[in-house]
Amino acid sequence: MLYLHIMAKYRIYSFEKLNVYKDILDLRIKIQQTISSFPNNEIYDSARQIKRATDSIGANIAEGSGRASNLDQSHFTNMSYASALEVIYHLTIAFELGFITQAEYESLRQDIDKINYKLNALYKYQRENSNSLKNK
């Protein structure tokens, strides 16, 4: 994992402590490494779509953590889940077009499955615990 906070001199936000967030960052690094080998004519099409959708997974977790209620947070967690499904779509197209190998495709799909499992668990927790940050 490339994402470390070593004696940080800044605030570590709650979302940065989530294992799923760390997994998302790791996925983003793998995605960047994978799309760097795409043909030049796909850099602004397929590669950009995959990158954008992957960035949306983490960005929604970060944005949702700033919401006052777990119900509001769950909305953003759900959007993260949906973005992960979008990444699967784009990776499938990239695989079918021969931009990535079967091994790369399967590895990335397994990473996304792990992330979606954790996002689903986080979503359920947020929905079942309706307490608000304002009440703490």
Side-chain angles (χ1 to χ4, degrees):
M1 176 183 297
L2 299 173
Y3 183 72
L4 298 174
H5 292 292
I6 301 173
M7 299 182 68
K9 295 182 182 187
Y10 49 87
R11 179 179 177 179
I12 306 300
Y13 292 90
S14 60
F15 72 92
E16 294 177 288
K17 298 174 187 174
L18 294 172
N19 286 331
V20 69
Y21 180 75
K22 295 171 186 173
D23 291 344
I24 292 165
L25 292 176
D26 289 342
L27 173 67
R28 179 60 178 82
I29 303 283
K30 285 178 76 173
I31 288 289
Q32 186 64 43
Q33 292 167 344
T34 301
I35 64 176
S36 68
S37 66
F38 277 27
N40 285 340
N41 63 325
E42 287 299 324
I43 295 300
Y44 296 106
D45 291 330
S46 297
R48 186 169 53 180
Q49 288 292 340
I50 293 169
K51 183 179 173 184
R52 184 196 56 74
T54 305
D55 285 343
S56 182
I57 302 169
N60 278 303
I61 290 297
E63 184 175 353
S65 74
R67 302 301 169 145
S69 75
N70 282 344
L71 186 62
D72 287 342
Q73 290 176 8
S74 72
H75 171 73
F76 286 89
T77 301
N78 187 48
M79 291 189 340
S80 291
Y81 186 93
S83 293
L85 297 178
E86 182 182 352
V87 174
I88 290 172
Y89 166 77
H90 291 298
L91 288 175
T92 302
I93 296 299
F95 173 65
E96 292 295 329
L97 292 172
F99 301 153
I100 60 176
T101 66
Q102 182 171 347
E104 290 171 316
Y105 178 74
E106 289 175 359
S107 175
L108 291 167
R109 284 294 303 262
Q110 289 170 357
D111 292 343
I112 294 169
D113 287 348
K114 182 172 79 170
I115 288 167
N116 275 347
Y117 178 82
K118 291 178 181 181
L119 287 174
N120 191 45
L122 178 60
Y123 177 80
K124 286 179 180 178
Y125 171 82
Q126 291 166 331
R127 298 292 292 188
E128 292 170 1
N129 295 283
S130 59
N131 48 339
S132 172
L133 292 175
K134 293 178 183 176
N135 296 333
K136 292 184 178 182

